[in-house]
C-alpha cells in the first residue's frame, strides 16, 4: 500500500515573529510535490502558531503544536489544550518527543493519555519514539520503542490519524544521523510489531518517519528504505535546506 510521504518541521523552542514569518514566506513559495503525495507539517512554538497561520498561504502545508495537555480547559497553568490548538488553525500535535520524555520526564502512560485526548479532539498526532545511546548499545532499541508504543496500542484502536516518528536520541541535534540501513531495520521492526498488535492493514498504512540530523543533503539517502515514509526535522527545518528535504522524493 502506498503511503503518502510526510515531512514535519519541528522548530522546538526556536524562532521569533520575524524569523518564523521568514520561514513561512519561504515555504509559501514551495511547490510541494504532488507526484509522491507529499504532506508537509510545520511546528513552531505554541506562541507562534497563530502568527504562522496568519502568514501561511501555501495550502499544501499544515501546522502542528509541540504538545497538548489531555484536558479541554481548566486550571492547568502553562499548558495548552487540543481545542485551543485547533482554534488557532493547527491540525496536528507532536507528542512523546524525546526532549519531553527525558527533560520534562513525561511517562509513556501520560503520553498515551495525551495521544488519546488529542485524537478525540480531532487532531492528528505525530507520536515520537526512540532509544538513547546507552539503550542502543545495550541492544534494547526495539524493546524501548515497543515499550513506548504499548500504552498507545492499549488505548486506541484507530491508528489512521497517528504518524509515528522514530527518533533515536543519539541522532538528534548531533549531526550523526542513523545510517539508512540502521534506520530501516528499526522501522521494519516497529512495523512488524504493529502488524502483530494492530493488524496488517493498519500497520501497512501507518507512516513511520525518521528523525535525527536529517538535512538537505542526507534526506535522499533514505529514499530506498521501504519502511521510511518521511522525516521529522529539527534544526534543518529552520533553514532554507528544509525545501530540499520536502522535495527529496520527487
Ligand atoms: P534534528 O533534526 O535537529 O536532529 O532534530 C530532530 C528532532 O528532534 C525532530 O523532532
Amino acid at each position: 500500500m502506498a503511503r503518502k510521504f510526510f515531512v514535519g518541521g519541528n522548530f522546538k523552542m526556536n524562532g521569533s515573529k520575524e524569523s518564523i514569518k521568514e520561514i513561512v514566506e519561504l515555504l509559501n513559495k514551495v511547490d510541494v510535490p504532488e507526484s509522491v503525495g507529499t504532506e508537509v507539517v510545520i511546528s513552531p512554538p505554541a506562541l507562534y502558531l497563530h502568527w504562522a497561520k496568519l502568514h501561511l498561504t501555501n495550502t499544501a502545508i499544515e501546522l502542528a503544536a509541540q504538545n497538548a495537555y489531555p484536558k479541554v480547559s481548566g486550571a492547568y497553568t502553562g499548558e495548552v489544550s487540543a481545542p485551543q490548538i485547533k482554534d488557532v488553525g493547527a491540525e496536528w500535535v507532536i507528542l512523546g518527543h524525546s526532549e519531553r520524555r527525558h527533560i520534562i520526564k513525561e511517562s509513556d502512560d501520560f503520553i498515551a493519555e495525551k495521544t488519546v485526548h488529542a485524537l478525540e479532539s480531532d487532531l492528528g498526532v505525530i507520536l515520537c519514539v526512540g532509544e538513547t545511546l546507552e539503550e542502543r548499545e545495550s541492544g534494547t532499541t526495539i524493546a524501548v520503542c515497543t515499550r513506548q508504543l504499548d500504552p498507545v496500542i492499549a488505548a486506541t484502536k484507530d491508528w489512521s490519524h497517528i504518524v509515528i516518528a522514530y527518533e533515536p536520541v543519539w541522532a538528534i541535534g548531533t549531526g550523526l544521523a542513523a545510517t539508512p540501513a540502521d534506520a530501516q531495520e528499526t522501522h521494519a521492526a516497529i512495523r512488524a510489531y504493529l502488524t502483530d498488535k494492530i493488524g496488517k492493514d493498519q500497520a501497512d498504512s501507518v507512516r513511520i518517519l525518521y528523525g535525527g540530523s536529517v538535512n538537505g543533503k542526507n534526506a535522499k539517502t533514505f529514499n530506498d528504505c521501504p519502511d521510511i515514509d518521511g522525516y521529522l526535522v529539527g534544526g534543518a527545518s529552520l533553514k532554507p535546506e528544509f525545501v530540499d528535504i520536502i522535495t527529496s522524493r520527487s
Side-chain angles (χ1 to χ4, degrees):
M1 174 187 290
R3 293 179 291 267
K4 238 177 160 185
F5 182 52
F6 189 111
V7 178
N10 176 8
F11 295 1
K12 309 193 179 184
M13 199 178 70
N14 292 300
S16 59
K17 283 167 77 174
E18 195 183 337
S19 69
I20 288 169
K21 181 165 174 271
E22 244 172 62
I23 296 169
V24 169
E25 283 173 350
L26 171 74
L27 294 176
N28 283 339
K29 292 186 214 136
V30 177
D31 196 7
V32 175
E34 276 176 26
S35 55
V36 285
T38 311
E39 210 167 337
V40 180
V41 174
I42 55 168
S43 188
L47 273 177
Y48 298 105
L49 279 171
H50 185 52
W51 176 250
K53 183 70 180 179
L54 288 177
H55 293 282
L56 193 60
T57 55
N58 192 334
T59 53
I61 300 177
E62 295 185 315
L63 290 167
Q66 296 175 16
N67 184 30
Y69 198 72
K71 297 281 179 200
V72 169
S73 62
Y76 305 102
T77 302
E79 296 293 330
V80 294
S81 75
Q84 290 172 329
I85 291 164
K86 290 193 65 182
D87 192 34
V88 295
E91 294 89 352
W92 292 86
V93 61
I94 298 172
L95 294 174
H97 193 280
S98 67
E99 286 144 19
R100 295 204 64 90
R101 290 181 189 269
H102 295 288
I103 303 171
I104 317 287
K105 310 276 184 236
E106 289 188 2
S107 70
D108 300 338
D109 286 342
F110 187 44
I111 292 159
E113 189 186 341
K114 288 179 170 201
T115 301
V116 170
H117 191 265
L119 293 171
E120 284 171 352
S121 309
D122 213 16
L123 282 175
V125 173
I126 301 169
L127 175 68
C128 305
V129 298
E131 82 287 3
T132 63
L133 183 59
E134 202 181 9
E135 288 162 341
R136 180 163 201 89
E137 286 173 345
S138 65
T140 56
T141 296
I142 308 304
V144 169
C145 294
T146 56
R147 188 207 74 216
Q148 291 170 342
L149 287 169
D150 275 342
V152 180
I153 291 169
T156 183
K157 297 273 165 288
D158 180 2
W159 283 67
S160 59
H161 298 286
I162 299 178
V163 171
I164 296 169
Y166 167 61
E167 301 204 301
V169 179
W170 46 270
I172 295 176
T174 58
L176 297 169
T179 63
D182 281 348
Q184 165 58 28
E185 189 185 346
T186 306
H187 282 230
I190 290 173
R191 201 178 304 283
Y193 187 76
L194 289 174
T195 301
D196 189 38
K197 300 287 174 184
I198 63 171
K200 184 168 166 36
D201 285 355
Q202 293 211 93
D204 279 350
S205 42
V206 72
R207 267 90 52 94
I208 308 178
L209 317 179
Y210 168 73
S213 297
V214 175
N215 59 42
K217 288 205 169 65
N218 66 14
K220 273 183 187 298
T221 64
F222 297 90
N223 277 1
D224 295 333
C225 301
D227 289 293
I228 298 183
D229 305 308
Y231 310 109
L232 187 57
V233 184
S237 68
L238 299 162
K239 301 178 190 160
E241 68 185 284
F242 189 49
V243 177
D244 300 327
I245 301 171
I246 292 171
T247 56
S248 62
R249 284 222 181 156
S250 49

